[in-house]
Amino acid sequence: MDVPQSVLNALLVLKEMQDKLKKELGPDGYMDYNLTICQANGRPIMTEHLNKRFKEILTEMNDPDMDPQEIVFHSLRHTSATTKLLMSGGDYNSVMQAGGWSNLEMLTRRYGKHSFASEREKLAGKMDDFLDGKGISDPQKNDKDEANSAEQVLQQLMKSNPELLIEFAKSFQNANKE
């Protein structure tokens, strides 16, 4: 599975934190279920608790364009799939493999219809222009401009808050220590 280096780096920091807790708590205090996100003692986190803490972090970010009450932790998977589809220009096979879906239908049924609504509108506009005799614009140039724009937005988001995953994990570690 291809994972961006920034995500791998954050996961390595999280793993180091977990390894430190394993040493501190010992085999009787740390139940190692080999989980990426877990309680400070290694045990699984209930979905409700995970979503609650995730919403608290989103609220702390204070983004006026985002309603934390409408977002759950699993939304990250949807956001990732949608962004990858847009950045790849609709390369469903690559996105399917990167996200670990077992078949293409899972990906297209869940994310395909949402991901490209604006793209379908642009295509309809291009068809109107073509049928009205205005000709065809260079689709490769437009695709590159849009991919660069999406990439710039993602890079800016990562630069503005690169430690979100780490802070999220730390909040669970600290909450479970108390």
Side-chain angles (χ1 to χ4, degrees), residues 73-89:
F73 188 72
H74 191 74
S75 300
L76 293 174
R77 185 164 171 80
H78 183 91
T79 301
S80 174
T82 301
T83 303
K84 287 174 184 171
L85 281 170
L86 288 170
M87 290 181 77
S88 71

Side-chain angles (χ1 to χ4, degrees), residues 8-9 22 25 35 41 58 68 80 96-97 115 130 150 159:
L8 286 175
N9 293 342
K22 286 178 194 178
L25 298 174
L35 299 172
N41 63 5
L58 292 175
S80 174
M96 179 186 78
Q97 291 171 10
S115 304
F130 176 74
K159 285 178 184 176

Side-chain angles (χ1 to χ4, degrees), residues 83-95 104 107 116:
T83 303
K84 287 174 184 171
L85 281 170
L86 288 170
M87 290 181 77
S88 71
D91 184 352
Y92 282 92
N93 282 323
S94 293
V95 174
L104 197 55
L107 180 63
F116 291 102

Side-chain angles (χ1 to χ4, degrees), residues 134-168:
K134 295 180 184 174
I136 300 174
S137 63
D138 182 2
Q140 289 184 339
K141 181 180 184 294
N142 292 341
D143 289 347
K144 286 179 185 174
D145 291 344
E146 290 168 16
N148 287 338
S149 175
E151 185 175 340
Q152 288 170 349
V153 168
L154 287 172
Q155 287 175 346
Q156 186 178 16
L157 186 62
M158 286 298 292
K159 285 178 184 176
S160 68
N161 200 349
E163 296 182 353
L164 179 61
L165 178 62
I166 295 168
E167 289 302 316
F168 182 67

Side-chain angles (χ1 to χ4, degrees), residues 3-153:
V3 179
Q5 190 61 48
S6 57
V7 173
L8 286 175
N9 293 342
L11 290 171
L12 286 172
V13 170
L14 180 59
K15 174 118 176 68
E16 288 173 10
M17 290 170 50
Q18 289 176 341
D19 289 343
K20 183 179 175 184
L21 282 168
K22 286 178 194 178
K23 279 184 181 178
E24 288 176 6
L25 298 174
D28 293 333
Y30 192 93
M31 302 298 176
D32 193 353
Y33 292 100
N34 201 26
L35 299 172
T36 303
I37 296 177
C38 57
Q39 296 182 43
N41 63 5
R43 293 183 180 199
I45 298 172
M46 291 178 51
T47 304
E48 296 82 18
H49 185 73
L50 181 68
N51 284 328
K52 179 183 176 201
R53 184 63 189 124
F54 186 61
K55 287 176 191 229
E56 289 170 2
I57 290 170
L58 292 175
T59 300
E60 289 172 16
M61 289 174 59
N62 201 25
D63 184 341
D65 296 328
M66 176 178 49
D67 181 2
Q69 300 311 312
E70 294 181 11
I71 301 172
V72 295
F73 188 72
H74 191 74
S75 300
L76 293 174
R77 185 164 171 80
H78 183 91
T79 301
S80 174
T82 301
T83 303
K84 287 174 184 171
L85 281 170
L86 288 170
M87 290 181 77
S88 71
D91 184 352
Y92 282 92
N93 282 323
S94 293
V95 174
M96 179 186 78
Q97 291 171 10
W101 284 276
S102 59
N103 61 58
L104 197 55
E105 183 184 2
M106 286 289 295
L107 180 63
T108 57
R109 194 167 21 108
R110 289 213 167 114
Y111 305 106
K113 62 184 174 196
H114 301 298
S115 304
F116 291 102
S118 64
E119 300 302 312
R120 288 191 303 269
E121 290 174 12
K122 289 177 190 174
L123 180 59
K126 288 177 184 179
M127 286 297 295
D128 283 339
D129 289 347
F130 176 74
L131 294 172
D132 289 340
K134 295 180 184 174
I136 300 174
S137 63
D138 182 2
Q140 289 184 339
K141 181 180 184 294
N142 292 341
D143 289 347
K144 286 179 185 174
D145 291 344
E146 290 168 16
N148 287 338
S149 175
E151 185 175 340
Q152 288 170 349
V153 168

